[in-house]
Amino acid sequence: MVEQELKEIWRNSSQMENIKFDLSRLLMELHKKAANLDKVIRKRDMREIGASVFGIILFGYFAYELPFWVSKVGCSLSIGWFVYIVYKFRNNRKTKLQLDLTLPFKVQLERQQKNIKQEAHFLNSVFYWYVLPPFIANLIIIFGAGDPSLYDWNPRLDLLPITLESKITMICFLALFSGFVVWLNKRAVKKTLNPIIDEINRIQEQLDNEE
């Protein structure tokens, strides 16, 4: 009887060690995925912030160069949006929790889950803070543009549409591009972020079952 009990204890302890090893391996793989994802996000943030700085300079020039006051207002709104974008991306990075491998498994998982969910919400909401504001500003710029000859203005770059047809064409292009940006970000959430969240949930369930 004692021998059989010892065998059972040994078998159960071996199973527990295997479970702990599997969980440790899964957590390491998860950390690797999270680290790779963080590199991609960091590069994206730098790219967006750099583009926003360039946009501030470009639309500052447009606001100075254009003779149309309504278009100047649109340029000013665009500059304000670019400033907000810099803040938005920097704040999104700052509010994420730092990963610490010395913490218990559960705490590590909770931190990773919180960061991934925050990033998913960040991308899912791009329509409201990344797409709609500049689209409205561009509408103001486009419809605010008039006939340059009436203002005795010779544009160095012929970028603004003057006729109604050309304005509608540009707006349609901007609308299609904006829709593509929204779709691209939602696709990234569905294909990249949601699977990682599901994986974290599975590991958390395993930890709960182990207890």
Side-chain angles (χ1 to χ4, degrees), residues 27-41:
L27 195 58
M28 290 301 295
E29 291 177 357
L30 189 61
H31 275 308
K32 186 177 180 180
K33 289 181 181 179
N36 291 334
L37 179 63
D38 187 66
K39 288 180 182 179
V40 173
I41 292 173

mmCIF file with all atom_site columns, all heavy atoms in Angstrom, residues 27-41:
data_model
loop_
_atom_site.group_PDB
_atom_site.id
_atom_site.type_symbol
_atom_site.label_atom_id
_atom_site.label_alt_id
_atom_site.label_comp_id
_atom_site.label_asym_id
_atom_site.label_entity_id
_atom_site.label_seq_id
_atom_site.pdbx_PDB_ins_code
_atom_site.Cartn_x
_atom_site.Cartn_y
_atom_site.Cartn_z
_atom_site.occupancy
_atom_site.B_iso_or_equiv
_atom_site.pdbx_formal_charge
_atom_site.auth_seq_id
_atom_site.auth_comp_id
_atom_site.auth_asym_id
_atom_site.auth_atom_id
_atom_site.pdbx_PDB_model_num
ATOM 1   N N   . LEU A 1 27 ? 5.005  30.780 -21.528 1.00 0.00 ? 27 LEU A N   1
ATOM 2   C CA  . LEU A 1 27 ? 5.202  32.166 -21.112 1.00 0.00 ? 27 LEU A CA  1
ATOM 3   C C   . LEU A 1 27 ? 6.413  32.779 -21.822 1.00 0.00 ? 27 LEU A C   1
ATOM 4   O O   . LEU A 1 27 ? 6.377  33.944 -22.231 1.00 0.00 ? 27 LEU A O   1
ATOM 5   C CB  . LEU A 1 27 ? 5.395  32.228 -19.601 1.00 0.00 ? 27 LEU A CB  1
ATOM 6   C CG  . LEU A 1 27 ? 5.257  33.616 -18.959 1.00 0.00 ? 27 LEU A CG  1
ATOM 7   C CD1 . LEU A 1 27 ? 3.891  34.206 -19.252 1.00 0.00 ? 27 LEU A CD1 1
ATOM 8   C CD2 . LEU A 1 27 ? 5.482  33.534 -17.465 1.00 0.00 ? 27 LEU A CD2 1
ATOM 9   N N   . MET A 1 28 ? 7.475  31.978 -21.990 1.00 0.00 ? 28 MET A N   1
ATOM 10  C CA  . MET A 1 28 ? 8.652  32.471 -22.701 1.00 0.00 ? 28 MET A CA  1
ATOM 11  C C   . MET A 1 28 ? 8.316  32.770 -24.160 1.00 0.00 ? 28 MET A C   1
ATOM 12  O O   . MET A 1 28 ? 8.770  33.774 -24.721 1.00 0.00 ? 28 MET A O   1
ATOM 13  C CB  . MET A 1 28 ? 9.780  31.449 -22.607 1.00 0.00 ? 28 MET A CB  1
ATOM 14  C CG  . MET A 1 28 ? 10.383 31.309 -21.209 1.00 0.00 ? 28 MET A CG  1
ATOM 15  S SD  . MET A 1 28 ? 11.064 32.880 -20.582 1.00 0.00 ? 28 MET A SD  1
ATOM 16  C CE  . MET A 1 28 ? 12.404 33.141 -21.737 1.00 0.00 ? 28 MET A CE  1
ATOM 17  N N   . GLU A 1 29 ? 7.531  31.899 -24.784 1.00 0.00 ? 29 GLU A N   1
ATOM 18  C CA  . GLU A 1 29 ? 7.112  32.130 -26.168 1.00 0.00 ? 29 GLU A CA  1
ATOM 19  C C   . GLU A 1 29 ? 6.247  33.379 -26.265 1.00 0.00 ? 29 GLU A C   1
ATOM 20  O O   . GLU A 1 29 ? 6.360  34.160 -27.218 1.00 0.00 ? 29 GLU A O   1
ATOM 21  C CB  . GLU A 1 29 ? 6.352  30.915 -26.695 1.00 0.00 ? 29 GLU A CB  1
ATOM 22  C CG  . GLU A 1 29 ? 7.224  29.679 -26.900 1.00 0.00 ? 29 GLU A CG  1
ATOM 23  C CD  . GLU A 1 29 ? 6.418  28.478 -27.363 1.00 0.00 ? 29 GLU A CD  1
ATOM 24  O OE1 . GLU A 1 29 ? 5.177  28.608 -27.455 1.00 0.00 ? 29 GLU A OE1 1
ATOM 25  O OE2 . GLU A 1 29 ? 7.028  27.427 -27.636 1.00 0.00 ? 29 GLU A OE2 1
ATOM 26  N N   . LEU A 1 30 ? 5.396  33.555 -25.255 1.00 0.00 ? 30 LEU A N   1
ATOM 27  C CA  . LEU A 1 30 ? 4.532  34.732 -25.232 1.00 0.00 ? 30 LEU A CA  1
ATOM 28  C C   . LEU A 1 30 ? 5.356  36.002 -25.074 1.00 0.00 ? 30 LEU A C   1
ATOM 29  O O   . LEU A 1 30 ? 5.087  37.023 -25.718 1.00 0.00 ? 30 LEU A O   1
ATOM 30  C CB  . LEU A 1 30 ? 3.520  34.605 -24.095 1.00 0.00 ? 30 LEU A CB  1
ATOM 31  C CG  . LEU A 1 30 ? 2.405  35.648 -24.043 1.00 0.00 ? 30 LEU A CG  1
ATOM 32  C CD1 . LEU A 1 30 ? 1.550  35.585 -25.304 1.00 0.00 ? 30 LEU A CD1 1
ATOM 33  C CD2 . LEU A 1 30 ? 1.540  35.420 -22.814 1.00 0.00 ? 30 LEU A CD2 1
ATOM 34  N N   . HIS A 1 31 ? 6.366  35.947 -24.223 1.00 0.00 ? 31 HIS A N   1
ATOM 35  C CA  . HIS A 1 31 ? 7.256  37.094 -24.040 1.00 0.00 ? 31 HIS A CA  1
ATOM 36  C C   . HIS A 1 31 ? 7.971  37.435 -25.348 1.00 0.00 ? 31 HIS A C   1
ATOM 37  O O   . HIS A 1 31 ? 8.152  38.612 -25.681 1.00 0.00 ? 31 HIS A O   1
ATOM 38  C CB  . HIS A 1 31 ? 8.297  36.788 -22.956 1.00 0.00 ? 31 HIS A CB  1
ATOM 39  C CG  . HIS A 1 31 ? 7.814  37.068 -21.567 1.00 0.00 ? 31 HIS A CG  1
ATOM 40  N ND1 . HIS A 1 31 ? 7.262  38.273 -21.187 1.00 0.00 ? 31 HIS A ND1 1
ATOM 41  C CD2 . HIS A 1 31 ? 7.798  36.298 -20.453 1.00 0.00 ? 31 HIS A CD2 1
ATOM 42  C CE1 . HIS A 1 31 ? 6.933  38.228 -19.913 1.00 0.00 ? 31 HIS A CE1 1
ATOM 43  N NE2 . HIS A 1 31 ? 7.246  37.037 -19.443 1.00 0.00 ? 31 HIS A NE2 1
ATOM 44  N N   . LYS A 1 32 ? 8.366  36.408 -26.078 1.00 0.00 ? 32 LYS A N   1
ATOM 45  C CA  . LYS A 1 32 ? 9.056  36.619 -27.351 1.00 0.00 ? 32 LYS A CA  1
ATOM 46  C C   . LYS A 1 32 ? 8.139  37.313 -28.343 1.00 0.00 ? 32 LYS A C   1
ATOM 47  O O   . LYS A 1 32 ? 8.545  38.264 -29.036 1.00 0.00 ? 32 LYS A O   1
ATOM 48  C CB  . LYS A 1 32 ? 9.537  35.284 -27.917 1.00 0.00 ? 32 LYS A CB  1
ATOM 49  C CG  . LYS A 1 32 ? 10.400 35.407 -29.161 1.00 0.00 ? 32 LYS A CG  1
ATOM 50  C CD  . LYS A 1 32 ? 10.907 34.061 -29.620 1.00 0.00 ? 32 LYS A CD  1
ATOM 51  C CE  . LYS A 1 32 ? 11.765 34.193 -30.872 1.00 0.00 ? 32 LYS A CE  1
ATOM 52  N NZ  . LYS A 1 32 ? 12.270 32.880 -31.344 1.00 0.00 ? 32 LYS A NZ  1
ATOM 53  N N   . LYS A 1 33 ? 6.886  36.838 -28.425 1.00 0.00 ? 33 LYS A N   1
ATOM 54  C CA  . LYS A 1 33 ? 5.913  37.469 -29.321 1.00 0.00 ? 33 LYS A CA  1
ATOM 55  C C   . LYS A 1 33 ? 5.657  38.914 -28.908 1.00 0.00 ? 33 LYS A C   1
ATOM 56  O O   . LYS A 1 33 ? 5.586  39.817 -29.754 1.00 0.00 ? 33 LYS A O   1
ATOM 57  C CB  . LYS A 1 33 ? 4.597  36.690 -29.300 1.00 0.00 ? 33 LYS A CB  1
ATOM 58  C CG  . LYS A 1 33 ? 4.650  35.344 -29.987 1.00 0.00 ? 33 LYS A CG  1
ATOM 59  C CD  . LYS A 1 33 ? 3.298  34.666 -29.938 1.00 0.00 ? 33 LYS A CD  1
ATOM 60  C CE  . LYS A 1 33 ? 3.340  33.289 -30.596 1.00 0.00 ? 33 LYS A CE  1
ATOM 61  N NZ  . LYS A 1 33 ? 2.017  32.616 -30.528 1.00 0.00 ? 33 LYS A NZ  1
ATOM 62  N N   . ALA A 1 34 ? 5.513  39.132 -27.605 1.00 0.00 ? 34 ALA A N   1
ATOM 63  C CA  . ALA A 1 34 ? 5.249  40.484 -27.105 1.00 0.00 ? 34 ALA A CA  1
ATOM 64  C C   . ALA A 1 34 ? 6.429  41.420 -27.390 1.00 0.00 ? 34 ALA A C   1
ATOM 65  O O   . ALA A 1 34 ? 6.241  42.589 -27.735 1.00 0.00 ? 34 ALA A O   1
ATOM 66  C CB  . ALA A 1 34 ? 4.956  40.441 -25.605 1.00 0.00 ? 34 ALA A CB  1
ATOM 67  N N   . ALA A 1 35 ? 7.658  40.882 -27.253 1.00 0.00 ? 35 ALA A N   1
ATOM 68  C CA  . ALA A 1 35 ? 8.849  41.696 -27.515 1.00 0.00 ? 35 ALA A CA  1
ATOM 69  C C   . ALA A 1 35 ? 8.939  42.072 -28.994 1.00 0.00 ? 35 ALA A C   1
ATOM 70  O O   . ALA A 1 35 ? 9.252  43.223 -29.336 1.00 0.00 ? 35 ALA A O   1
ATOM 71  C CB  . ALA A 1 35 ? 10.099 40.933 -27.090 1.00 0.00 ? 35 ALA A CB  1
ATOM 72  N N   . ASN A 1 36 ? 8.658  41.116 -29.873 1.00 0.00 ? 36 ASN A N   1
ATOM 73  C CA  . ASN A 1 36 ? 8.668  41.400 -31.314 1.00 0.00 ? 36 ASN A CA  1
ATOM 74  C C   . ASN A 1 36 ? 7.588  42.405 -31.684 1.00 0.00 ? 36 ASN A C   1
ATOM 75  O O   . ASN A 1 36 ? 7.816  43.317 -32.494 1.00 0.00 ? 36 ASN A O   1
ATOM 76  C CB  . ASN A 1 36 ? 8.477  40.107 -32.109 1.00 0.00 ? 36 ASN A CB  1
ATOM 77  C CG  . ASN A 1 36 ? 9.668  39.176 -32.002 1.00 0.00 ? 36 ASN A CG  1
ATOM 78  O OD1 . ASN A 1 36 ? 10.790 39.616 -31.763 1.00 0.00 ? 36 ASN A OD1 1
ATOM 79  N ND2 . ASN A 1 36 ? 9.438  37.883 -32.186 1.00 0.00 ? 36 ASN A ND2 1
ATOM 80  N N   . LEU A 1 37 ? 6.413  42.240 -31.069 1.00 0.00 ? 37 LEU A N   1
ATOM 81  C CA  . LEU A 1 37 ? 5.321  43.172 -31.327 1.00 0.00 ? 37 LEU A CA  1
ATOM 82  C C   . LEU A 1 37 ? 5.678  44.569 -30.843 1.00 0.00 ? 37 LEU A C   1
ATOM 83  O O   . LEU A 1 37 ? 5.381  45.566 -31.508 1.00 0.00 ? 37 LEU A O   1
ATOM 84  C CB  . LEU A 1 37 ? 4.049  42.680 -30.631 1.00 0.00 ? 37 LEU A CB  1
ATOM 85  C CG  . LEU A 1 37 ? 2.804  43.564 -30.788 1.00 0.00 ? 37 LEU A CG  1
ATOM 86  C CD1 . LEU A 1 37 ? 2.384  43.643 -32.250 1.00 0.00 ? 37 LEU A CD1 1
ATOM 87  C CD2 . LEU A 1 37 ? 1.652  43.016 -29.937 1.00 0.00 ? 37 LEU A CD2 1
ATOM 88  N N   . ASP A 1 38 ? 6.342  44.646 -29.699 1.00 0.00 ? 38 ASP A N   1
ATOM 89  C CA  . ASP A 1 38 ? 6.726  45.947 -29.151 1.00 0.00 ? 38 ASP A CA  1
ATOM 90  C C   . ASP A 1 38 ? 7.727  46.658 -30.061 1.00 0.00 ? 38 ASP A C   1
ATOM 91  O O   . ASP A 1 38 ? 7.670  47.885 -30.199 1.00 0.00 ? 38 ASP A O   1
ATOM 92  C CB  . ASP A 1 38 ? 7.323  45.765 -27.753 1.00 0.00 ? 38 ASP A CB  1
ATOM 93  C CG  . ASP A 1 38 ? 7.575  47.091 -27.056 1.00 0.00 ? 38 ASP A CG  1
ATOM 94  O OD1 . ASP A 1 38 ? 6.591  47.797 -26.758 1.00 0.00 ? 38 ASP A OD1 1
ATOM 95  O OD2 . ASP A 1 38 ? 8.750  47.428 -26.830 1.00 0.00 ? 38 ASP A OD2 1
ATOM 96  N N   . LYS A 1 39 ? 8.616  45.897 -30.692 1.00 0.00 ? 39 LYS A N   1
ATOM 97  C CA  . LYS A 1 39 ? 9.566  46.497 -31.635 1.00 0.00 ? 39 LYS A CA  1
ATOM 98  C C   . LYS A 1 39 ? 8.833  47.106 -32.827 1.00 0.00 ? 39 LYS A C   1
ATOM 99  O O   . LYS A 1 39 ? 9.150  48.207 -33.271 1.00 0.00 ? 39 LYS A O   1
ATOM 100 C CB  . LYS A 1 39 ? 10.562 45.444 -32.116 1.00 0.00 ? 39 LYS A CB  1
ATOM 101 C CG  . LYS A 1 39 ? 11.580 45.012 -31.072 1.00 0.00 ? 39 LYS A CG  1
ATOM 102 C CD  . LYS A 1 39 ? 12.524 43.966 -31.640 1.00 0.00 ? 39 LYS A CD  1
ATOM 103 C CE  . LYS A 1 39 ? 13.522 43.500 -30.581 1.00 0.00 ? 39 LYS A CE  1
ATOM 104 N NZ  . LYS A 1 39 ? 14.434 42.454 -31.109 1.00 0.00 ? 39 LYS A NZ  1
ATOM 105 N N   . VAL A 1 40 ? 7.845  46.358 -33.336 1.00 0.00 ? 40 VAL A N   1
ATOM 106 C CA  . VAL A 1 40 ? 7.056  46.862 -34.465 1.00 0.00 ? 40 VAL A CA  1
ATOM 107 C C   . VAL A 1 40 ? 6.299  48.128 -34.067 1.00 0.00 ? 40 VAL A C   1
ATOM 108 O O   . VAL A 1 40 ? 6.265  49.116 -34.811 1.00 0.00 ? 40 VAL A O   1
ATOM 109 C CB  . VAL A 1 40 ? 6.071  45.780 -34.959 1.00 0.00 ? 40 VAL A CB  1
ATOM 110 C CG1 . VAL A 1 40 ? 5.132  46.348 -36.015 1.00 0.00 ? 40 VAL A CG1 1
ATOM 111 C CG2 . VAL A 1 40 ? 6.821  44.578 -35.509 1.00 0.00 ? 40 VAL A CG2 1
ATOM 112 N N   . ILE A 1 41 ? 5.695  48.114 -32.869 1.00 0.00 ? 41 ILE A N   1
ATOM 113 C CA  . ILE A 1 41 ? 4.931  49.265 -32.392 1.00 0.00 ? 41 ILE A CA  1
ATOM 114 C C   . ILE A 1 41 ? 5.843  50.468 -32.176 1.00 0.00 ? 41 ILE A C   1
ATOM 115 O O   . ILE A 1 41 ? 5.487  51.606 -32.506 1.00 0.00 ? 41 ILE A O   1
ATOM 116 C CB  . ILE A 1 41 ? 4.176  48.907 -31.101 1.00 0.00 ? 41 ILE A CB  1
ATOM 117 C CG1 . ILE A 1 41 ? 3.077  47.880 -31.396 1.00 0.00 ? 41 ILE A CG1 1
ATOM 118 C CG2 . ILE A 1 41 ? 3.575  50.154 -30.454 1.00 0.00 ? 41 ILE A CG2 1
ATOM 119 C CD1 . ILE A 1 41 ? 2.382  47.349 -30.162 1.00 0.00 ? 41 ILE A CD1 1
#
